[in-house]
Amino acid sequence: MSLVFPHTFVPWFRSVAPYIHAYRGKTFVVAMSGEGIAAGRLNAFVQDLSILHAMGIHIVFVYGFRPQINEQLAAKGQTSRFSHGMRITDAVALDCAQEAAGQLRFEIEASFSQGLPNTPMANAAVRIISGNFLTARPVGVVDGVDFMHSGIVRKVDAAAIRRALDTGAIVLLSPFGFSPTGEAFNLSMEDVATSTAIALQADKLVFLTEVPGIREKLDDPESPIDTELALADAERLLASLPNPTQPTDTAFYLQHCVKACRAGVERSHILPFAVDGALLMEIYTHDGIGTMIVDEKLESLREATADDVGGILQLIEPFERDGTLVKRSRTEIERDIGYYTVIEHDGVIFGCAALYPYPEARTGEMAALTVSPEVQGQGDGERILKRIEQRAKAMGLESIFVLTTRTMHWFIRRGFQPVDPDWLPEARKRKYNWDRRSQVLVKRLV
């Protein structure tokens, strides 16, 4: 084993642990476009789904088959016809869709059955359940266009899907639905996934797509991906875009994500299938890789509660171990939890600080200021500092001070001035550790 490996793997694995805990028992509807399957991404994607399944996540997998139907039609000398962003499914196209769906289901089940040693599927025992979970109705005639055997989801048998998930299986849904009279309808993968996520009130709806996400500047193909969009912002963006006709149009997947979030799905995601491991990176890293639409911003700056004690301990422990922070016990943090301010993102604490007031001296100590290495450099330290200053002013304090051995310059750049330890309030001076020789810095608030 490389000598470097433990120093990279162990911290990384520990950083993933909060997400593992947070998502165990949650329900994800994950949809992969037929373009992703045609690009040869199926096996790696199935391996990633199996890892999520092993982490205790309930998974509904919806697959698309747009290019596969096109291929079948071309082989029969037929052309694909679309209108309003939907396929016009005549009798020949319906036969092609049924052939493509059956072939892809066979390939998917084969992929989940792999178990070669030294692969992510080794020792995996993933069972796939599929069936007639969807009731459909015809699209009908729209603006004079008869969509024939194209349909939209009428009802999802959520209870049956939940029972299947409770057995520990992954539920597989194809873009096919049936009417009460037994007539088959070709559905869109996006409609199936969105309707299923809404019916299940899933915790996440995830699209693996041809696009990398929603760019911050839509007219600049080199612009960074906007990793998090509040629902209100996504709705405004969607209203400004033309009706989509191609999967690569910005509004194509965005409209389904917005629909799902409006209907109670907590988060919806647009990820690129071209990036290997995109699903894992989106779920188990702080910033993810694609675009996530949420009903509100997931990051919050707030006062801590008793439920945050474990997260604070996990955050500060590495800094206590290397001597940057003074060690604090769980009992001490539980006792002082009302003094703490935290920054959390998606239920995981990434920053904290405590304010211990000394009202007799009109000052307070900011202690345990910590920001996770994963997000350092993004301004979270300044945000926490400002909140601590606001709390101190609300208490009528005229200054705040810190004791530090390694980060003196960070505080000086933000208005703190060094002082002699004798400046400290008498109650704090009695607890000063002369062996540690911490620098004392003060910032006036008036």
Side-chain angles (χ1 to χ4, degrees), residues 292-312:
M292 174 171 60
I293 292 89
V294 292
D295 197 5
E296 58 183 16
K297 287 287 186 180
L298 293 183
E299 185 165 279
S300 64
L301 177 65
R302 58 175 176 78
E303 278 61 63
T305 69
D307 293 335
D308 300 318
V309 172
I312 293 173

Side-chain angles (χ1 to χ4, degrees), residues 407-429:
T407 56
M408 181 173 67
H409 293 289
W410 188 92
F411 290 106
I412 290 175
R413 290 198 301 271
R414 287 154 182 85
F416 285 79
Q417 299 292 328
V419 296
D420 190 270
D422 286 335
W423 179 93
L424 292 170
E426 286 300 321
R428 183 64 180 88
K429 195 186 302 182

Side-chain angles (χ1 to χ4, degrees), residues 5 10 25 30 33 40 77 100 119 163 244 250 292 311 414 435:
F5 182 74
V10 173
V30 184
S33 67
T119 72
R163 287 195 296 270
T250 301
M292 174 171 60
R414 287 154 182 85
D435 292 332

Side-chain angles (χ1 to χ4, degrees), residues 148-403:
M148 293 181 273
H149 298 285
S150 292
I152 56 178
V153 176
R154 181 178 182 179
K155 183 180 179 182
V156 177
D157 192 345
I161 292 177
R162 289 194 192 96
R163 287 195 296 270
L165 293 173
D166 289 342
T167 67
I170 290 177
V171 172
L172 179 65
L173 298 181
S174 68
F176 260 105
F178 304 91
S179 71
T181 60
E183 185 179 0
F185 290 102
N186 176 30
L187 312 175
S188 74
M189 173 270 285
E190 300 79 22
D191 181 30
V192 170
T194 304
S195 298
T196 303
I198 293 171
L200 294 173
Q201 285 295 280
D203 299 281
K204 285 184 183 291
L205 168 63
V206 183
F207 289 112
L208 269 291
T209 75
E210 308 90 317
V211 297
I214 308 298
R215 296 197 180 276
E216 292 180 359
K217 298 179 180 178
L218 299 182
D219 56 352
D220 182 2
E222 301 301 321
S223 174
I225 297 299
D226 195 337
T227 58
E228 183 181 318
L229 266 177
L231 177 58
D233 294 333
E235 289 175 327
R236 282 192 291 270
L237 174 59
L238 188 61
S240 70
L241 296 170
N243 290 330
T245 59
Q246 301 290 332
T248 51
D249 292 341
T250 301
F252 190 86
Y253 292 104
L254 180 61
Q255 62 184 338
H256 298 285
C257 291
V258 167
K259 178 181 178 181
C261 287
R262 281 175 179 164
V265 177
E266 291 185 4
R267 295 148 207 166
S268 53
H269 305 250
I270 303 171
L271 311 182
F273 63 66
V275 177
D276 186 34
L279 183 62
L280 299 180
M281 286 189 278
E282 180 73 3
I283 292 173
Y284 291 118
T285 64
H286 179 267
D287 290 325
I289 189 171
T291 296
M292 174 171 60
I293 292 89
V294 292
D295 197 5
E296 58 183 16
K297 287 287 186 180
L298 293 183
E299 185 165 279
S300 64
L301 177 65
R302 58 175 176 78
E303 278 61 63
T305 69
D307 293 335
D308 300 318
V309 172
I312 293 173
L313 281 168
Q314 186 173 26
L315 175 67
I316 67 177
E317 190 270 336
F319 298 93
E320 293 175 340
R321 194 168 55 244
D322 69 12
T324 303
L325 295 178
V326 175
K327 185 171 181 58
R328 292 168 173 80
S329 66
R330 173 179 284 271
T331 300
E332 183 179 354
I333 293 177
E334 288 176 343
R335 181 196 66 205
D336 298 339
I337 194 64
Y339 295 139
Y340 278 82
T341 293
V342 297
I343 283 183
E344 70 164 354
H345 183 282
D346 204 6
V348 179
I349 293 176
F350 283 92
C352 72
L355 175 64
Y356 292 92
Y358 292 88
E360 71 283 356
R362 308 295 295 275
T363 190
E365 179 182 6
M366 183 171 70
L369 175 60
T370 311
V371 176
S372 170
E374 292 183 47
V375 297
Q376 286 180 2
Q378 299 182 16
D380 287 340
E382 286 86 348
R383 293 179 62 201
I384 296 173
L385 172 58
K386 288 180 180 178
R387 177 59 68 91
I388 292 293
E389 291 176 2
Q390 291 169 357
R391 294 186 71 178
K393 290 178 180 178
M395 294 177 185
L397 306 182
E398 297 176 354
S399 65
I400 57 174
F401 66 90
V402 296
L403 277 69

Side-chain angles (χ1 to χ4, degrees), residues 50-71:
S50 298
I51 293 171
L52 299 187
H53 181 263
M55 296 292 187
I57 296 172
H58 300 305
I59 296 170
V60 178
F61 176 21
V62 184
Y63 64 91
F65 52 15
R66 188 179 296 110
Q68 288 79 9
I69 298 176
N70 294 345
E71 184 180 346

